[in-house]
């Protein structure tokens, strides 16, 4: 019956702009307080599943949006939300790039879309900016495992102590520059001990063959009390990290179908994905020099932080 009711709502909204319909729908689903960004700490699969059940109304909302977009027959949509990078309300862009289909309805890849037309940052990147601005204090040194991205370029304008690099795979010299971009290996970098207050990594550590070595290296360059904040491809329904490939000699051997990500620098070889992470990384982090580690699920209607219970991770030295 729920699906039928949503289709009637969409039919009722025909004749007005899709963006206006989205505004009506979200005010039907949520109070102003419920639309504020909220974060909740999770430390296990069970806690994650509990949060999922408590947030079912958000998934009904997303399903309704997907049906609304489908009914409009458009391929690009706008979702008005605040961009923390630009510190303003923007018409965030949603399209079907990376979409999945469920029961004949295309579901946008919310995590990688909802892109700000002004700064070019997507949902995941805008939230990282939100977190940085929340905790930044003058003089803090911040390192990002990226340099050629919209989010790095925008944050560098605001944060004079921000540094970054790109990981382009094996065979390059740490600390050297390639096409104007600094290269570092997250498992063995050239930074000094206890050099940074915050280290940020956004979907990079799945591309290194020894992620525990990367955890130890990040702990080494963080100051006592410093935080490591990161996102990775993550299976919230798996306790164990899935190893998809390993290094044998000088070659990468895959377990199953190969999976590659584009290289951050155009013209360089794509990077193999070595693992999809599970909940065991929290104990791995604590075993690699961090005092504590946890996951955080978050959601924000007004800011456009949508998706299947987005999660990021933190570890404190």
């Amino acid at each position: 019956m729920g699906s039928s009711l949503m289709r009637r709502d969409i039919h009722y909204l025909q004749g007005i702009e899709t963006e206006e319909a989205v505004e009506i729908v979200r005010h039907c689903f949520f109070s102003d307080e419920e639309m504020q960004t909220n974060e909740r700490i999770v430390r296990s699969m069970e806690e994650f599943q509990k949060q999922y059940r408590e947030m079912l109304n958000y998934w009904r909302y997303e399903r309704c949006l997907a049906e609304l977009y489908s009914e409009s027959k458009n391929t690009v949509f706008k979702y008005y939300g605040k961009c923390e990078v630009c510190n303003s309300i923007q018409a965030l862009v949603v399209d079907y790039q990376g979409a999945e289909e469920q029961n004949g309805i295309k579901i946008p890849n919310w995590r990688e879309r909802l892109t700000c037309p002004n700064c070019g940052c997507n949902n995941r990147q805008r939230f990282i900016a939100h977190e940085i601005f929340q905790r930044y204090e003058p003089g803090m040194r911040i390192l990002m495992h990226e340099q050629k991205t919209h989010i790095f370029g925008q944050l560098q304008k605001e944060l004079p102590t921000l540094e970054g690099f790109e990981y382009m795979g094996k065979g390059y010299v740490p600390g050297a520059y390639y096409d104007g971009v600094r290269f570092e290996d997250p498992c063995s970098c050239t930074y000094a001990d206890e050099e940074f207050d915050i280290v940020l990594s956004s979907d990079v550590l799945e591309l290194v063959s020894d992620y525990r070595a990367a955890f130890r290296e990040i702990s080494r360059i963080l100051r006592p009390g410093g935080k490591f904040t990161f996102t990775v491809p993550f299976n919230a329904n798996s306790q164990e990290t899935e190893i998809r490939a390993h290094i044998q000699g000088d070659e990468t051997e895959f377990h199953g179908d190969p999976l590659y990500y584009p290289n951050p620098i155009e013209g360089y070889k794509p990077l193999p994905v070595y693992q999809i992470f599970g909940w065991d990384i929290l104990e791995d982090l604590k075993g690699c020099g961090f005092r504590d580690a946890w996951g955080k699920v978050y959601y924000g209607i007004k800011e456009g932080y949508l998706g299947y219970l987005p999660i990021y991770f933190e570890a404190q030295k």
Side-chain angles (χ1 to χ4, degrees), residues 54-161:
E54 291 182 358
M55 298 172 73
L56 284 175
N57 211 31
Y58 291 116
W59 321 139
R60 295 188 183 106
Y61 168 65
E62 287 188 6
R63 181 182 172 189
C64 189
L65 288 189
E67 291 196 15
L68 177 63
Y69 289 156
S70 178
E71 287 284 322
S72 75
K73 308 301 182 185
N74 294 328
T75 57
V76 179
F77 319 96
K78 296 175 183 176
Y79 182 103
Y80 288 92
K82 183 183 179 184
C83 174
E84 286 290 341
V85 180
C86 301
N87 196 31
S88 61
I89 302 297
Q90 297 287 337
L92 306 174
V93 177
V94 182
D95 57 29
Y96 288 129
Q97 183 176 324
E100 294 183 359
E101 189 166 312
Q102 297 178 9
N103 300 322
I105 300 295
K106 285 186 177 180
I107 309 297
N109 184 350
W110 304 109
R111 183 176 187 264
E112 300 298 327
R113 309 316 300 150
L114 288 159
T115 303
C116 175
N118 187 50
C119 68
C121 296
N122 64 19
N123 178 352
R124 168 172 54 84
Q125 294 167 329
R126 291 184 295 103
F127 182 78
I128 288 293
H130 165 86
E131 288 298 294
I132 294 173
F133 291 141
Q134 287 283 324
R135 67 185 67 166
Y136 178 75
E137 296 178 5
M140 276 187 169
R141 294 198 63 193
I142 303 174
L143 176 67
M144 294 184 74
H145 287 184
E146 55 190 285
Q147 188 181 348
K148 278 186 66 66
T149 57
H150 292 298
I151 183 64
F152 181 83
Q154 294 295 329
L155 291 178
Q156 199 173 39
K157 298 174 184 177
E158 305 281 344
L159 307 172
T161 56

Side-chain angles (χ1 to χ4, degrees), residues 164-229:
F165 67 82
E166 292 289 354
Y167 176 64
M168 294 129 47
K170 296 292 184 182
Y172 303 96
V173 180
Y177 285 78
Y178 297 85
D179 292 332
V181 179
R182 179 171 178 159
F183 169 82
E184 293 284 355
D185 185 341
C187 300
S188 179
C189 61
T190 62
Y191 298 107
D193 293 353
E194 300 182 0
E195 190 168 347
F196 296 98
D197 298 281
I198 299 172
V199 174
L200 298 154
S201 183
S202 183
D203 286 19
V204 173
L205 296 182
E206 66 275 17
L207 306 175
V208 303
S209 58
D210 187 351
Y211 64 90
R212 294 182 184 90
F215 289 166
R216 289 190 291 269
E217 189 71 346
I218 293 162
S219 175
R220 179 185 70 80
I221 65 176
L222 271 173
R223 294 169 181 166
K227 276 189 177 179
F228 172 37
T229 299

Side-chain angles (χ1 to χ4, degrees), residues 224-252:
K227 276 189 177 179
F228 172 37
T229 299
F230 66 101
T231 62
V232 287
F234 181 72
N235 183 354
N237 295 313
S238 176
Q239 182 59 35
E240 296 183 356
T241 292
E242 175 194 359
I243 304 301
R244 296 186 57 94
H246 70 278
I247 298 291
Q248 184 69 37
D250 294 329
E251 301 295 326
T252 297

